[in-house]
mmCIF file with all atom_site columns, all heavy atoms in Angstrom:
data_model
loop_
_atom_site.group_PDB
_atom_site.id
_atom_site.type_symbol
_atom_site.label_atom_id
_atom_site.label_alt_id
_atom_site.label_comp_id
_atom_site.label_asym_id
_atom_site.label_entity_id
_atom_site.label_seq_id
_atom_site.pdbx_PDB_ins_code
_atom_site.Cartn_x
_atom_site.Cartn_y
_atom_site.Cartn_z
_atom_site.occupancy
_atom_site.B_iso_or_equiv
_atom_site.pdbx_formal_charge
_atom_site.auth_seq_id
_atom_site.auth_comp_id
_atom_site.auth_asym_id
_atom_site.auth_atom_id
_atom_site.pdbx_PDB_model_num
ATOM 1   N N   . ILE A 1 76 ? -8.762  140.061 -0.084  1.00 96.00 ? 76 ILE A N   1
ATOM 2   C CA  . ILE A 1 76 ? -8.642  138.598 -0.146  1.00 96.00 ? 76 ILE A CA  1
ATOM 3   C C   . ILE A 1 76 ? -9.284  138.186 -1.464  1.00 96.00 ? 76 ILE A C   1
ATOM 4   O O   . ILE A 1 76 ? -10.501 138.280 -1.627  1.00 96.00 ? 76 ILE A O   1
ATOM 5   C CB  . ILE A 1 76 ? -9.343  137.904 1.047   1.00 96.00 ? 76 ILE A CB  1
ATOM 6   C CG1 . ILE A 1 76 ? -8.748  138.409 2.373   1.00 96.00 ? 76 ILE A CG1 1
ATOM 7   C CG2 . ILE A 1 76 ? -9.198  136.385 0.937   1.00 96.00 ? 76 ILE A CG2 1
ATOM 8   C CD1 . ILE A 1 76 ? -9.359  137.774 3.629   1.00 96.00 ? 76 ILE A CD1 1
ATOM 9   N N   . ASP A 1 77 ? -8.449  137.773 -2.423  1.00 97.00 ? 77 ASP A N   1
ATOM 10  C CA  . ASP A 1 77 ? -9.006  137.401 -3.730  1.00 97.00 ? 77 ASP A CA  1
ATOM 11  C C   . ASP A 1 77 ? -9.728  136.059 -3.621  1.00 97.00 ? 77 ASP A C   1
ATOM 12  O O   . ASP A 1 77 ? -9.549  135.305 -2.652  1.00 97.00 ? 77 ASP A O   1
ATOM 13  C CB  . ASP A 1 77 ? -7.906  137.361 -4.788  1.00 97.00 ? 77 ASP A CB  1
ATOM 14  C CG  . ASP A 1 77 ? -6.872  136.326 -4.442  1.00 97.00 ? 77 ASP A CG  1
ATOM 15  O OD1 . ASP A 1 77 ? -5.923  136.655 -3.709  1.00 97.00 ? 77 ASP A OD1 1
ATOM 16  O OD2 . ASP A 1 77 ? -7.042  135.164 -4.858  1.00 97.00 ? 77 ASP A OD2 1
ATOM 17  N N   . ALA A 1 78 ? -10.532 135.747 -4.634  1.00 97.00 ? 78 ALA A N   1
ATOM 18  C CA  . ALA A 1 78 ? -11.443 134.595 -4.551  1.00 97.00 ? 78 ALA A CA  1
ATOM 19  C C   . ALA A 1 78 ? -10.700 133.261 -4.370  1.00 97.00 ? 78 ALA A C   1
ATOM 20  O O   . ALA A 1 78 ? -11.127 132.394 -3.607  1.00 97.00 ? 78 ALA A O   1
ATOM 21  C CB  . ALA A 1 78 ? -12.320 134.547 -5.795  1.00 97.00 ? 78 ALA A CB  1
ATOM 22  N N   . ARG A 1 79 ? -9.547  133.091 -5.046  1.00 98.00 ? 79 ARG A N   1
ATOM 23  C CA  . ARG A 1 79 ? -8.818  131.810 -4.915  1.00 98.00 ? 79 ARG A CA  1
ATOM 24  C C   . ARG A 1 79 ? -8.233  131.655 -3.520  1.00 98.00 ? 79 ARG A C   1
ATOM 25  O O   . ARG A 1 79 ? -8.264  130.563 -2.937  1.00 98.00 ? 79 ARG A O   1
ATOM 26  C CB  . ARG A 1 79 ? -7.692  131.727 -5.956  1.00 98.00 ? 79 ARG A CB  1
ATOM 27  C CG  . ARG A 1 79 ? -8.206  131.365 -7.314  1.00 98.00 ? 79 ARG A CG  1
ATOM 28  C CD  . ARG A 1 79 ? -7.132  131.482 -8.386  1.00 98.00 ? 79 ARG A CD  1
ATOM 29  N NE  . ARG A 1 79 ? -7.779  131.441 -9.673  1.00 98.00 ? 79 ARG A NE  1
ATOM 30  C CZ  . ARG A 1 79 ? -8.009  130.321 -10.359 1.00 98.00 ? 79 ARG A CZ  1
ATOM 31  N NH1 . ARG A 1 79 ? -7.573  129.165 -9.907  1.00 98.00 ? 79 ARG A NH1 1
ATOM 32  N NH2 . ARG A 1 79 ? -8.656  130.354 -11.499 1.00 98.00 ? 79 ARG A NH2 1
ATOM 33  N N   . THR A 1 80 ? -7.713  132.763 -2.987  1.00 98.00 ? 80 THR A N   1
ATOM 34  C CA  . THR A 1 80 ? -7.172  132.719 -1.624  1.00 98.00 ? 80 THR A CA  1
ATOM 35  C C   . THR A 1 80 ? -8.288  132.369 -0.650  1.00 98.00 ? 80 THR A C   1
ATOM 36  O O   . THR A 1 80 ? -8.126  131.533 0.246   1.00 98.00 ? 80 THR A O   1
ATOM 37  C CB  . THR A 1 80 ? -6.531  134.080 -1.278  1.00 98.00 ? 80 THR A CB  1
ATOM 38  O OG1 . THR A 1 80 ? -5.541  134.362 -2.256  1.00 98.00 ? 80 THR A OG1 1
ATOM 39  C CG2 . THR A 1 80 ? -5.914  134.070 0.110   1.00 98.00 ? 80 THR A CG2 1
ATOM 40  N N   . GLU A 1 81 ? -9.438  133.006 -0.849  1.00 97.00 ? 81 GLU A N   1
ATOM 41  C CA  . GLU A 1 81 ? -10.599 132.743 0.011   1.00 97.00 ? 81 GLU A CA  1
ATOM 42  C C   . GLU A 1 81 ? -10.979 131.253 -0.044  1.00 97.00 ? 81 GLU A C   1
ATOM 43  O O   . GLU A 1 81 ? -11.170 130.605 0.996   1.00 97.00 ? 81 GLU A O   1
ATOM 44  C CB  . GLU A 1 81 ? -11.766 133.612 -0.475  1.00 97.00 ? 81 GLU A CB  1
ATOM 45  C CG  . GLU A 1 81 ? -13.008 133.530 0.388   1.00 97.00 ? 81 GLU A CG  1
ATOM 46  C CD  . GLU A 1 81 ? -14.095 134.441 -0.167  1.00 97.00 ? 81 GLU A CD  1
ATOM 47  O OE1 . GLU A 1 81 ? -14.029 135.658 0.051   1.00 97.00 ? 81 GLU A OE1 1
ATOM 48  O OE2 . GLU A 1 81 ? -15.023 133.926 -0.834  1.00 97.00 ? 81 GLU A OE2 1
ATOM 49  N N   . ALA A 1 82 ? -11.047 130.700 -1.266  1.00 98.00 ? 82 ALA A N   1
ATOM 50  C CA  . ALA A 1 82 ? -11.418 129.285 -1.413  1.00 98.00 ? 82 ALA A CA  1
ATOM 51  C C   . ALA A 1 82 ? -10.411 128.374 -0.721  1.00 98.00 ? 82 ALA A C   1
ATOM 52  O O   . ALA A 1 82 ? -10.783 127.375 -0.092  1.00 98.00 ? 82 ALA A O   1
ATOM 53  C CB  . ALA A 1 82 ? -11.514 128.928 -2.901  1.00 98.00 ? 82 ALA A CB  1
ATOM 54  N N   . LEU A 1 83 ? -9.127  128.731 -0.826  1.00 98.00 ? 83 LEU A N   1
ATOM 55  C CA  . LEU A 1 83 ? -8.086  127.896 -0.211  1.00 98.00 ? 83 LEU A CA  1
ATOM 56  C C   . LEU A 1 83 ? -8.130  127.982 1.312   1.00 98.00 ? 83 LEU A C   1
ATOM 57  O O   . LEU A 1 83 ? -7.871  126.986 1.999   1.00 98.00 ? 83 LEU A O   1
ATOM 58  C CB  . LEU A 1 83 ? -6.704  128.307 -0.740  1.00 98.00 ? 83 LEU A CB  1
ATOM 59  C CG  . LEU A 1 83 ? -6.446  127.865 -2.188  1.00 98.00 ? 83 LEU A CG  1
ATOM 60  C CD1 . LEU A 1 83 ? -5.280  128.644 -2.788  1.00 98.00 ? 83 LEU A CD1 1
ATOM 61  C CD2 . LEU A 1 83 ? -6.169  126.361 -2.253  1.00 98.00 ? 83 LEU A CD2 1
ATOM 62  N N   . ILE A 1 84 ? -8.450  129.144 1.840   1.00 98.00 ? 84 ILE A N   1
ATOM 63  C CA  . ILE A 1 84 ? -8.545  129.259 3.307   1.00 98.00 ? 84 ILE A CA  1
ATOM 64  C C   . ILE A 1 84 ? -9.708  128.397 3.821   1.00 98.00 ? 84 ILE A C   1
ATOM 65  O O   . ILE A 1 84 ? -9.560  127.642 4.786   1.00 98.00 ? 84 ILE A O   1
ATOM 66  C CB  . ILE A 1 84 ? -8.713  130.732 3.760   1.00 98.00 ? 84 ILE A CB  1
ATOM 67  C CG1 . ILE A 1 84 ? -7.465  131.543 3.393   1.00 98.00 ? 84 ILE A CG1 1
ATOM 68  C CG2 . ILE A 1 84 ? -8.968  130.799 5.269   1.00 98.00 ? 84 ILE A CG2 1
ATOM 69  C CD1 . ILE A 1 84 ? -7.596  133.048 3.653   1.00 98.00 ? 84 ILE A CD1 1
ATOM 70  N N   . PHE A 1 85 ? -10.866 128.477 3.153   1.00 98.00 ? 85 PHE A N   1
ATOM 71  C CA  . PHE A 1 85 ? -11.994 127.631 3.576   1.00 98.00 ? 85 PHE A CA  1
ATOM 72  C C   . PHE A 1 85 ? -11.626 126.151 3.462   1.00 98.00 ? 85 PHE A C   1
ATOM 73  O O   . PHE A 1 85 ? -11.965 125.347 4.333   1.00 98.00 ? 85 PHE A O   1
ATOM 74  C CB  . PHE A 1 85 ? -13.246 127.920 2.732   1.00 98.00 ? 85 PHE A CB  1
ATOM 75  C CG  . PHE A 1 85 ? -13.982 129.183 3.127   1.00 98.00 ? 85 PHE A CG  1
ATOM 76  C CD1 . PHE A 1 85 ? -14.122 130.241 2.240   1.00 98.00 ? 85 PHE A CD1 1
ATOM 77  C CD2 . PHE A 1 85 ? -14.565 129.306 4.383   1.00 98.00 ? 85 PHE A CD2 1
ATOM 78  C CE1 . PHE A 1 85 ? -14.808 131.403 2.595   1.00 98.00 ? 85 PHE A CE1 1
ATOM 79  C CE2 . PHE A 1 85 ? -15.258 130.456 4.749   1.00 98.00 ? 85 PHE A CE2 1
ATOM 80  C CZ  . PHE A 1 85 ? -15.377 131.508 3.854   1.00 98.00 ? 85 PHE A CZ  1
ATOM 81  N N   . ALA A 1 86 ? -10.921 125.802 2.377   1.00 98.00 ? 86 ALA A N   1
ATOM 82  C CA  . ALA A 1 86 ? -10.561 124.389 2.186   1.00 98.00 ? 86 ALA A CA  1
ATOM 83  C C   . ALA A 1 86 ? -9.533  123.931 3.216   1.00 98.00 ? 86 ALA A C   1
ATOM 84  O O   . ALA A 1 86 ? -9.590  122.789 3.696   1.00 98.00 ? 86 ALA A O   1
ATOM 85  C CB  . ALA A 1 86 ? -10.025 124.178 0.763   1.00 98.00 ? 86 ALA A CB  1
ATOM 86  N N   . ALA A 1 87 ? -8.597  124.816 3.575   1.00 98.00 ? 87 ALA A N   1
ATOM 87  C CA  . ALA A 1 87 ? -7.591  124.459 4.588   1.00 98.00 ? 87 ALA A CA  1
ATOM 88  C C   . ALA A 1 87 ? -8.265  124.221 5.944   1.00 98.00 ? 87 ALA A C   1
ATOM 89  O O   . ALA A 1 87 ? -7.973  123.246 6.641   1.00 98.00 ? 87 ALA A O   1
ATOM 90  C CB  . ALA A 1 87 ? -6.548  125.568 4.703   1.00 98.00 ? 87 ALA A CB  1
ATOM 91  N N   . ALA A 1 88 ? -9.194  125.110 6.292   1.00 98.00 ? 88 ALA A N   1
ATOM 92  C CA  . ALA A 1 88 ? -9.918  124.938 7.556   1.00 98.00 ? 88 ALA A CA  1
ATOM 93  C C   . ALA A 1 88 ? -10.696 123.624 7.539   1.00 98.00 ? 88 ALA A C   1
ATOM 94  O O   . ALA A 1 88 ? -10.759 122.896 8.534   1.00 98.00 ? 88 ALA A O   1
ATOM 95  C CB  . ALA A 1 88 ? -10.867 126.123 7.769   1.00 98.00 ? 88 ALA A CB  1
ATOM 96  N N   . ARG A 1 89 ? -11.257 123.291 6.381   1.00 98.00 ? 89 ARG A N   1
ATOM 97  C CA  . ARG A 1 89 ? -12.054 122.059 6.247   1.00 98.00 ? 89 ARG A CA  1
ATOM 98  C C   . ARG A 1 89 ? -11.173 120.809 6.356   1.00 98.00 ? 89 ARG A C   1
ATOM 99  O O   . ARG A 1 89 ? -11.563 119.821 6.967   1.00 98.00 ? 89 ARG A O   1
ATOM 100 C CB  . ARG A 1 89 ? -12.813 122.109 4.918   1.00 98.00 ? 89 ARG A CB  1
ATOM 101 C CG  . ARG A 1 89 ? -13.730 120.925 4.676   1.00 98.00 ? 89 ARG A CG  1
ATOM 102 C CD  . ARG A 1 89 ? -14.724 121.237 3.565   1.00 98.00 ? 89 ARG A CD  1
ATOM 103 N NE  . ARG A 1 89 ? -15.544 122.379 3.910   1.00 98.00 ? 89 ARG A NE  1
ATOM 104 C CZ  . ARG A 1 89 ? -15.670 123.477 3.166   1.00 98.00 ? 89 ARG A CZ  1
ATOM 105 N NH1 . ARG A 1 89 ? -15.041 123.579 2.010   1.00 98.00 ? 89 ARG A NH1 1
ATOM 106 N NH2 . ARG A 1 89 ? -16.422 124.472 3.572   1.00 98.00 ? 89 ARG A NH2 1
ATOM 107 N N   . ALA A 1 90 ? -9.975  120.887 5.774   1.00 98.00 ? 90 ALA A N   1
ATOM 108 C CA  . ALA A 1 90 ? -9.061  119.736 5.857   1.00 98.00 ? 90 ALA A CA  1
ATOM 109 C C   . ALA A 1 90 ? -8.748  119.415 7.314   1.00 98.00 ? 90 ALA A C   1
ATOM 110 O O   . ALA A 1 90 ? -8.791  118.251 7.737   1.00 98.00 ? 90 ALA A O   1
ATOM 111 C CB  . ALA A 1 90 ? -7.777  120.034 5.082   1.00 98.00 ? 90 ALA A CB  1
#
Side-chain angles (χ1 to χ4, degrees):
I76 302 181
D77 62 272
R79 281 172 194 270
T80 303
E81 185 179 282
L83 287 163
I84 296 173
F85 282 118
R89 183 164 300 124

